[in-house]
Amino acid sequence: MTRFSRILITGAALATLIMAAPAMAATPDDQLIIGTSLAQVLSLDPQQATEVKAQEILANTYDRLVHFTGTSGTDGSTIKPQLAESWEIDATGITFLLRDAEFASGNPVTSDDVVFSLVRLLKLELSSASSLKTFGYNADNIESMVSALDSKTVRIELTDDITAESLLYRLAGGFASIVDSVEVQKHVSNGDYGNEWLRTNTAGSGPYVLRRWAPNEIVMLEANEQFWGGPTAMRRVIFRHTPESQAARLMLERGDIDIANALTAADVANFANKDGFEIDRVKTGGFYMLAMNAGKEPLDNPLVREAIAHGIDYQGIAQTILGPYGRARNVPVPEDIEGAIANPDWSLQPEKARQLLAEAGYPEGFSLTLKTISETPRVDMATAIQANLAEIGITVRIQQGNGSDIIASHRARDFELLIPQTSSGEPTALGSIDSFTNNPDNSLEANNAGNNVWRSAWDIPELHELRGAANRERDVAKRLDMVRLLQEMFIEQKPAVLPMFERFEPIVVNAKVQGYSGHPRSLTRLDGVTKSDVD
């Protein structure tokens, strides 16, 4: 966390806060108020929700077998115990020993709950399952791959397509949260594994439970009295929908909220030299990406995609719009990860871009629609890209929408250009590039909506094959060589899933808040957060 000077802000009570009264206010000492965007929070079912802003809610209402903090230092990426007290790895699988823990309902956490949760993940066949499906786990084989050896011992078999290290990192993801199978099965309707109920309720063993969710307004969590980790300092955690950056900045300044994580770059910069606040710039391992639908003309032409890659001012956008949110990078592996290759020369080169369009048969250019979620910083990025591409003869119409609309368009291949954000399955080069090179079946019938590349209809059998071989390779040095080759081939094929900026998450925190550290997957745990007076 980047630390600046501190100040104590004082004021009124939570009731005033929730009613958004204009009076000066300081949040109560036992309550944490986070100003964020809830626009993409569409479900709180952990085996369904993939949206970034939903993950922090899920991380505090559920546990996974294992986790990692993602913090800087020597062990930030080290897998650590959560519900699994310990584990043993052998040639064919991993055996986990569970700690004594209870769900919020009072039901004990058992191996049956772990099996139910992972089977449920694959049987629901939702996009979140892709993180395991890509490695050979599926609805047909999952019941033979995970088993309860006794009430506290779980065994997960390895497929031929995954290493034990990669499986552990995947199990640290929000989709691998362990749900209370006894409670969930009370709410099953028409074979939905309790999905309809879990969309708006929680059944976990994490430090908090859901007390209220009003979409695009508020999510309220209260301390879980059954939490195995003991009492939490924060009795209540509230996520307030504050999509307007300037309003969120003012609320943070006057003490109405403790944390803001949806500010514009300019509003983040406002706190850089302000007493009483800290800026946590979280390295996510993911990217802001330009998705091009290779199933539609003219984007099916690699020359057109290359022209677009040369038609964007990455450095200019990074400096004037993204600021703390990102840095220019066109290879889907963060530049400081072992095995990353140098960036290609895809800088803004209008003349070269126009020449490529002429070679592709479009000397007069054409028109496209760019879809984006209406939130920071993607709207400003879209406007800049619109202006950039106009210089090379491509007229872009921007279509903004809420999270559900734009995400649905992406999953249905119903777009021409679209700006999604990605995350990394694990903090390694192979984990970073995996979702950019994985597409086992590009056919429309495959309906692989959880697959990033499939959504862009980009058929890449050579890349997919090499990516699979790299995941199967147990020798670390050989695997790194394959990952370097994978990046080179990715660039050569003029990707329809174009990484533009390595993605960071700037979070501004009142200095009274102690123990808050953003997680690269937004799985930030809050049970260790406290508040204290500052000088």
Side-chain angles (χ1 to χ4, degrees):
M1 180 177 288
T2 304
R3 187 173 293 274
F4 299 91
S5 55
R6 303 169 171 178
I7 190 171
L8 176 62
I9 302 176
T10 59
L14 175 68
T16 302
L17 167 69
I18 295 178
M19 296 303 292
M24 296 290 287
T27 62
D29 288 342
D30 63 349
Q31 301 184 32
L32 186 71
I33 317 297
I34 300 175
T36 188
S37 171
L38 298 175
Q40 293 187 64
V41 180
L42 311 177
S43 169
L44 292 180
D45 183 336
Q47 271 89 55
Q48 179 180 35
T50 58
E51 299 78 21
V52 170
K53 300 302 183 182
Q55 295 306 303
E56 188 166 3
I57 300 167
L58 297 175
N60 288 284
T61 49
Y62 292 90
D63 293 311
R64 290 92 68 202
L65 287 172
V66 295
H67 76 112
F68 68 95
T69 64
T71 54
S72 59
T74 56
D75 70 342
S77 296
T78 301
I79 292 291
K80 299 178 178 66
Q82 200 162 82
L83 279 181
E85 203 166 49
S86 62
W87 55 90
E88 293 184 1
I89 299 171
D90 57 45
T92 60
I94 308 176
T95 302
F96 298 89
L97 178 64
L98 302 183
R99 70 170 69 250
D100 289 330
E102 291 183 357
F103 291 105
S105 66
N107 294 326
V109 177
T110 71
S111 301
D112 289 339
D113 298 301
V114 177
V115 173
F116 176 83
S117 300
L118 296 180
V119 169
R120 180 179 188 272
L121 171 68
L122 274 301
K123 293 287 188 179
L124 280 173
E125 292 278 10
L126 299 172
S127 61
S128 55
S130 62
S131 289
L132 287 183
K133 287 173 66 177
T134 185
F135 294 109
Y137 298 95
N138 56 55
D140 294 328
N141 69 15
I142 187 61
E143 289 171 295
S144 65
M145 301 299 284
V146 56
S147 57
L149 303 186
D150 59 42
S151 64
K152 290 294 181 182
T153 310
V154 180
R155 169 82 177 176
I156 303 179
E157 306 295 338
L158 296 172
T159 69
D160 292 336
D161 298 324
I162 195 169
T163 64
E165 177 190 43
S166 289
L167 178 57
L168 286 170
Y169 277 120
R170 300 289 160 159
L171 293 174
F175 61 84
S177 298
I178 307 306
V179 303
D180 182 344
S181 62
V182 175
E183 186 65 26
V184 171
Q185 289 181 95
K186 295 177 184 176
H187 302 279
V188 172
S189 176
N190 299 319
D192 72 344
Y193 287 89
N195 172 248
E196 186 64 29
W197 182 75
L198 268 185
R199 288 171 63 90
T200 55
N201 293 273
T202 55
S205 57
Y208 294 93
V209 296
L210 177 68
R211 283 292 175 251
R212 181 187 172 201
W213 174 25
N216 289 332
E217 181 183 339
I218 193 171
V219 171
M220 181 184 294
L221 308 181
E222 288 189 353
N224 173 14
E225 295 180 359
Q226 310 296 330
F227 180 48
W228 54 267
T232 59
M234 295 296 105
R235 180 175 60 86
R236 178 176 290 160
V237 175
I238 295 174
F239 298 86
R240 293 192 60 183
H241 184 52
T242 53
E244 296 297 329
S245 179
Q246 186 176 16
R249 175 176 62 80
L250 293 172
M251 292 168 67
L252 187 59
E253 288 175 335
R254 70 185 182 218
D256 291 342
I257 59 178
D258 299 302
I259 296 171
N261 64 15
L263 300 176
T264 63
D267 283 326
V268 172
N270 178 74
F271 291 94
N273 298 301
K274 189 181 291 292
D275 287 349
F277 299 94
E278 301 169 350
I279 300 175
D280 188 7
R281 189 171 186 246
V282 183
K283 190 177 189 300
T284 70
F287 290 83
Y288 289 111
M289 173 184 105
L290 182 65
M292 300 181 245
N293 194 333
K296 297 184 177 182
E297 294 182 358
L299 297 167
D300 59 340
N301 190 323
L303 290 173
V304 170
R305 299 198 298 267
E306 185 179 6
I308 290 174
H310 283 291
I312 298 173
D313 184 6
Y314 308 102
Q315 293 295 341
I317 294 173
Q319 292 171 11
T320 62
I321 294 173
L322 287 176
Y325 275 93
R327 62 185 177 196
R329 177 74 172 160
N330 300 123
V331 181
V333 176
E335 62 183 37
D336 54 0
I337 285 186
E338 184 181 13
I341 68 170
N343 212 57
D345 183 22
W346 282 350
S347 57
L348 178 61
Q349 300 179 50
E351 288 188 13
K352 183 172 183 177
R354 285 191 289 267
Q355 180 182 347
L356 287 165
L357 289 179
E359 291 177 21
Y362 300 95
E364 304 302 320
F366 46 81
S367 298
L368 294 171
T369 296
L370 170 60
K371 293 187 176 182
T372 183
I373 293 173
S374 302
E375 69 177 26
T376 299
R378 282 187 264 190
V379 171
D380 291 336
M381 290 167 55
T383 302
I385 291 169
Q386 178 187 50
N388 288 164
L389 295 185
E391 293 185 33
I392 67 171
I394 300 176
T395 300
V396 173
R397 182 178 73 91
I398 296 174
Q399 181 179 336
Q400 299 183 37
N402 60 33
S404 57
D405 292 339
I406 301 302
I407 291 170
S409 292
H410 195 199
R411 291 174 177 172
R413 293 181 169 179
D414 180 22
F415 68 96
E416 293 173 328
L417 301 177
L418 191 144
I419 302 179
Q421 63 184 35
T422 73
S423 57
S424 174
E426 57 189 81
T428 64
L430 184 56
S432 297
I433 201 172
D434 191 84
S435 68
F436 286 83
T437 55
N438 170 35
N439 191 6
D441 183 350
N442 194 55
S443 68
L444 185 63
E445 293 73 24
N447 194 28
N448 194 0
N451 185 290
N452 184 43
V453 178
W454 180 90
R455 295 177 185 183
S456 284
W458 189 37
D459 199 12
I460 48 169
E462 300 88 355
L463 284 172
H464 178 79
E465 182 179 353
L466 179 57
R467 166 243 166 226
N471 276 296
R472 291 189 294 271
E473 180 55 61
R474 269 39 176 179
D475 184 281
V476 175
K478 291 181 180 178
R479 186 162 66 242
L480 276 176
D481 286 340
M482 296 169 81
V483 170
R484 292 185 184 98
L485 177 58
L486 197 57
Q487 294 167 77
E488 293 167 359
M489 291 174 60
F490 175 85
I491 292 167
E492 290 171 0
Q493 295 203 24
K494 318 308 177 190
V497 286
L498 175 66
M500 298 186 293
F501 308 98
E502 189 180 341
R503 187 169 64 84
F504 293 80
E505 191 80 12
I507 303 171
V508 183
V509 185
N510 187 307
K512 286 184 63 176
V513 177
Q514 304 294 310
Y516 183 95
S517 184
H519 190 280
R521 296 187 190 174
S522 296
L523 296 167
T524 305
R525 289 278 275 209
L526 303 173
D527 50 304
V529 170
T530 61
K531 289 184 182 180
S532 63
D533 291 346
V534 293
D535 297 327

